[in-house]
Amino acid sequence: MKDAVRQLVTGKNFATVATIGPDGGPQASVVWIDLDGEELVFSSLVKRQKVKNIERDPRVAVTIFDHENPYHSAEIRGTAELVDDPNKEWSVRLSQKYLGEDPPEGEPESDLRYAVRITPEKVNEFCV
Amino acid sequence: MKDAVRQLVTGKNFATVATIGPDGGPQASVVWIDLDGEELVFSSLVKRQKVKNIERDPRVAVTIFDHENPYHSAEIRGTAELVDDPNKEWSVRLSQKYLGEDPPEGEPESDLRYAVRITPEKVNEFCV
């Protein structure tokens, strides 16, 4: 992945993750995201629709744009893998990245989370 | 659509439009968008992949978040309709909305555009 796209993902920019719903139509949601080696990673509660979608069809499309210059953006298509995250390490890591602090209280420990790891297969960068 | 979601769409916020690609997987891209009555509208060159996707399967998922407070976001799922826009009225209208001026020079007049009109069917609003 080229440096300019890496900077979009490692910056404090919000991303959208699109998945395929049970009816074959698109679903999308806004997430915190980061890069770990060559993989994109976000954290999700196990119970979320997007997790169910990924279990059925792991193909995802991520968009991200620079908050300071939204005319610089990227679409990253790839395959997602759901990795158990019993200690919610990625939830903490992303909260620290975006908020500079641990995640807000209120999420029951019994609400399990996955680290969703995306292997990029196609990257389109746009600079309008 | 509730007022808070209307404000996301009418504000100068960038949206992501997710469509279904020819292989059934998700595709997504960042767009300018606005509201016209109860429909979401963006402008696209006819030749774009997302237009081909919509011709095949009109289901789309739009995400949008408040640029000033990205923790306020919405996902809007709906059906897209491609409307001829020979005078590129929507390209001008959206450029005026986001940039306060007409679209940058450089697009050949022969590059046709559609106004892509989305009828919302399901709206999820998130305030973290």
Side-chain angles (χ1 to χ4, degrees), chain A residues 14 16 18-20 23-30 32 57 59-61 63-65 67 70-71 73 75 77 98-99, chain B residues 14 16 18-20 23-30 32 57 59-61 63-65 67-68 70-71 73 75 77 98-99:
Chain A
F14 285 59
T16 285
T19 56
I20 301 297
D23 61 357
Q27 196 222 342
S29 50
V30 178
W32 284 342
D57 186 334
R59 292 177 293 180
V60 301
T63 55
I64 190 161
F65 55 82
H67 194 263
Y71 298 94
S73 68
E75 182 200 5
R77 276 181 256 176
Y98 283 85
L99 300 177
Chain B
F14 285 60
T16 286
T19 56
I20 301 297
D23 59 357
Q27 196 223 341
S29 50
V30 178
W32 284 342
D57 185 335
R59 293 177 293 180
V60 301
T63 55
I64 191 162
F65 55 81
H67 194 263
E68 300 303 315
Y71 298 94
S73 68
E75 182 200 5
R77 277 180 255 177
Y98 283 85
L99 299 177

Side-chain angles (χ1 to χ4, degrees), chain A residues 1 17 33 35-36 38-42 54 58 60-62 76-81 115-121:
Chain A
M1 200 182 302
V17 176
I33 204 159
L35 202 60
D36 191 28
E38 293 302 311
E39 294 177 331
L40 278 65
V41 187
F42 68 92
I54 287 168
V60 301
V62 175
I76 299 151
R77 276 181 256 176
T79 303
E81 182 190 8
V116 186
R117 305 186 67 94
I118 298 166
T119 303
E121 276 140 27

Side-chain angles (χ1 to χ4, degrees), chain B residues 39-63:
Chain B
E39 294 177 330
L40 279 64
V41 187
F42 68 93
S43 176
S44 177
L45 289 171
V46 166
K47 64 185 179 187
R48 292 282 181 238
Q49 182 63 47
K50 57 179 165 290
V51 164
K52 294 173 190 156
N53 292 347
I54 287 168
E55 283 171 340
R56 196 186 325 101
D57 185 335
R59 293 177 293 180
V60 301
V62 175
T63 55

